[in-house]
Amino acid sequence: MASSSPPPKSFNLAIIGGGIAGLTLAISLLKHNIPLTLYESASQFGEIGAGVGFEANVVRIMELISPKVKEGFLRCANNVDRDPPVWFTVRVGDQRKADGNGVVLQRDGKDMKIGEPLFDMPARPGPRGGVHRAHFLDELVKLIPASTTQFRKKLVDITQVEDGSGDALLHFADGTTAQHSAVIGCDGIKSRTRELVLGKKEAEPVFSGKYAYRGLIPMEKAKEIMSREEPQTPQMYVGYGGHVLTFPIANGTLMNVVAFSSRKTWEDPEWVVQTSRSDMLADYSSWSPTVQAIMSAMLKPDIWALYNHTPARTYVQGRPRICLLGDAAHATTPHSGAGAGMCVEDCYILSSLLADATSVEDLEKAFRAYDQVRRPRSLKLVKESKEAGMLYDFEGPHGDDLEALELNMKKRMDWIWDADLSIDLEKARSIVKESG
Ligand SMILES: Cc1cc2nc3c(=O)[nH]c(=O)nc-3n(C[C@H](O)[C@H](O)[C@H](O)COP(=O)(O)OP(=O)(O)OC[C@H]3O[C@@H](n4cnc5c(N)ncnc54)[C@H](O)[C@@H]3O)c2cc1C
């Protein structure tokens, strides 16, 4: 798989979890000839039948990790874009914001009506777009030799091997164990590795105050409901206590729908629950006919309770060596559309640092440098994403002031999309060097 052959490493890694983070990390590490085994609790790789979007900054990182990751992404991404590129076109979807004539805002003497485009949130140029999660995962899986992965391996504990090596002994639910120099936890929001690093209480996810209906609509049906063009580009309908996103996936053959609503608490121990069509429609009873038609047309909608992590004081532990990556480290709400993008960024930085490492001592230094560089940025996303969700739902500091919302929304992704990760990588490399 590697194009050149760097010197062999004197360490051997375990990756826990084969989602977007674990698979991308495995590809990144294998490129640098780093020995690893990926342990996945499920019997095969799999993602849910929903969409996920990646912006141009992330696709550039995919290419740095491996041009094949970018090619895989492009094979399943939606290719329709506007010039200049647009993240979402924003409209009001909630009739309570409109006056008797359907007007939601007066701009330059013109009436802006409910459902009309109010403004675009500009994106950045370059390949980007929405993919069906399962299709993208399939593309990642193709890049990993089957011998790298062990399925039905649910991690339950990690102890230290008593031979002075500091190695980790992984304990699985099936009673087996495995020894590795270090463990990289990519086991998602309900991460066991996070519990081991932070303790059960600190690791626990918290309910974000939002839940979402997720579903897909065949593109031809979506064009009947909206217009010929609208479903082919991302749309956001804002309102009181909720917002509705649509964007094309699966090369434009499906429209992905995520419809958010607010509530104070989530009591159900399950985070994904079935819903009845009538209960779902009741949540949007005061929304426009277009939004109601979108909701009615969703194939098999599910409700997802949206949880996020509280800020972790560290992503790494010394003995046994554990490093957290992706949602295991910083699970976020999806309102900035960047949780999976952060996973990809984590993989790029960590794998680049590990490519330079040759010993277990280097490994520990690399983990600490990764922690210092990645934690501030990824924790900022968790905070900002929650604020974004409240903003779109008229629950932020601007309430339902559409002009103030526009100013805020057009700028708030800049720090995510315009970051130069090569600077972060250089900083991390200096931290490694300075640590002797
Ligand atoms: C509604 C919604 C929309 C989103 N939209 C976007 C978007 O548009 N753009 C974006 O960038 N991000 C988005 N995100 C965020 C994104 O989905 C996540 O950040 C990303 O999928 C996390 O990937 P992961 O690999 O870290 O975790 P996961 O996908 O949760 O993978 C974890 C893996 O670990 C395995 N595992 C768990 N425990 C164990 C164990 N003990 N032992 C072994 N294996 C284990 C699991 O089976 C799973 O395969 C969205 C999230 C939501 C909820």
Side-chain angles (χ1 to χ4, degrees):
M1 175 166 283
S3 49
S4 60
S5 295
K9 310 288 184 187
S10 64
F11 54 82
N12 186 311
L13 301 177
I15 297 177
I16 305 299
I20 290 172
L23 288 172
T24 309
L25 182 68
I27 295 165
S28 319
L29 295 176
L30 288 170
K31 187 177 124 183
H32 299 296
N33 269 354
I34 296 175
L36 65 92
T37 305
L38 191 157
Y39 298 97
E40 166 57 50
S41 57
S43 57
Q44 56 184 33
F45 292 121
E47 260 284 7
I48 56 162
V52 58
F54 291 97
E55 292 307 302
N57 63 310
V58 182
V59 181
R60 280 197 302 276
I61 300 295
M62 286 180 190
E63 187 171 22
L64 290 176
I65 287 174
S66 161
K68 288 183 181 159
V69 174
K70 178 185 171 187
E71 287 159 22
F73 167 76
L74 292 179
R75 267 195 291 280
C76 48
N78 181 64
N79 298 316
V80 180
D81 207 348
R82 280 170 279 181
D83 186 16
V86 172
W87 192 45
F88 281 102
T89 296
V90 179
R91 302 154 195 268
V92 171
D94 190 331
Q95 300 197 119
R96 289 168 293 187
K97 178 65 183 158
D99 67 14
N101 298 316
V103 177
V104 294
L105 177 72
Q106 285 254 328
R107 182 184 279 157
D108 304 328
K110 188 176 171 280
D111 287 343
M112 308 295 293
K113 293 206 166 171
I114 185 161
E116 282 182 357
L118 282 184
F119 60 90
D120 288 335
M121 292 174 83
R124 299 295 183 263
R128 49 184 283 274
V131 292
H132 191 296
R133 285 170 179 266
H135 300 174
F136 181 53
L137 209 79
D138 285 348
E139 294 292 341
L140 295 178
V141 170
K142 280 186 212 163
L143 301 177
I144 296 172
S147 58
T148 308
T149 307
Q150 293 194 28
F151 293 106
R152 297 188 187 86
K153 288 288 176 191
K154 181 176 182 186
L155 180 88
V156 289
D157 201 5
I158 306 173
T159 53
Q160 198 185 150
V161 177
E162 299 297 336
D163 61 0
S165 65
D167 277 6
L169 190 65
L170 286 67
H171 303 257
F172 297 102
D174 63 2
T176 59
T177 57
Q179 182 169 346
H180 289 270
S181 316
V183 180
I184 306 179
C186 302
D187 43 349
I189 187 167
K190 294 180 178 172
S191 166
R192 177 66 184 136
T193 52
R194 179 179 174 90
E195 283 180 356
L196 292 168
V197 171
L198 298 174
K200 206 168 168 52
K201 195 161 170 24
E202 210 180 318
E204 215 170 293
V206 292
F207 180 57
S208 72
K210 305 268 173 224
Y211 61 98
Y213 298 96
R214 299 171 91 173
L216 301 174
I217 302 179
M219 187 53 81
E220 285 313 309
K221 176 78 184 162
K223 286 177 181 171
E224 284 168 25
I225 296 169
M226 296 160 87
S227 70
R228 298 300 299 168
E229 294 79 30
E230 270 167 48
Q232 298 185 65
T233 54
Q235 307 292 331
M236 179 189 297
Y237 298 85
V238 293
Y240 294 96
H243 67 284
V244 178
L245 302 179
T246 69
F247 59 89
I249 60 166
N251 295 110
T253 57
L254 291 170
M255 187 176 81
N256 184 59
V257 183
V258 196
F260 298 88
S261 250
S262 306
R263 62 195 269 180
K264 287 205 163 48
T265 56
W266 186 266
E267 312 299 348
D268 199 315
E270 295 298 325
W271 293 3
V272 184
V273 294
Q274 297 291 307
T275 180
S276 72
R277 208 160 280 277
S278 56
D279 279 358
M280 177 177 76
L281 290 176
D283 261 358
Y284 295 89
S285 59
S286 56
W287 288 58
S288 69
T290 307
V291 169
Q292 294 196 27
I294 293 170
M295 302 302 296
S296 303
M298 276 205 274
L299 303 172
K300 296 196 222 139
D302 290 322
I303 296 189
W304 290 65
L306 298 174
Y307 280 69
N308 58 259
H309 283 148
T310 54
R313 71 192 134 80
T314 180
Y315 290 170
V316 300
Q317 172 182 290
R319 295 290 155 88
R321 301 174 197 98
I322 306 177
C323 179
L324 305 175
L325 186 144
D327 271 18
H330 43 71
T332 174
T333 51
H335 310 300
S336 297
M342 282 290 157
C343 298
V344 175
E345 288 187 9
D346 285 352
C347 292
Y348 173 63
I349 298 284
L350 185 61
S351 63
S352 304
L353 294 175
L354 293 179
D356 303 337
T358 51
S359 63
V360 283
E361 291 75 25
D362 293 346
L363 192 64
E364 289 177 8
K365 288 176 198 164
F367 281 178
R368 283 197 294 270
Y370 158 86
D371 176 53
Q372 277 189 50
V373 166
R374 289 303 297 161
R375 203 152 32 87
R377 179 167 165 81
S378 46
L379 292 184
K380 182 174 176 184
L381 175 69
V382 182
K383 179 174 171 286
E384 293 242 337
S385 174
K386 186 165 182 202
E387 288 167 7
M390 295 178 75
L391 207 68
Y392 310 153
D393 297 357
F394 298 165
E395 295 164 344
H398 310 303
D400 64 356
D401 178 342
L402 296 173
E403 283 168 324
L405 274 181
E406 176 175 351
L407 282 178
N408 186 319
M409 285 165 74
K410 280 182 165 171
K411 300 290 292 169
R412 64 177 303 118
M413 305 302 162
D414 293 1
W415 72 273
I416 302 175
W417 296 341
D418 297 335
D420 180 351
L421 278 210
S422 69
I423 296 174
D424 291 1
L425 180 56
E426 276 324 300
K427 189 173 158 201
R429 284 192 166 128
S430 311
I431 295 169
V432 170
K433 251 193 218 134
E434 281 158 20
S435 57

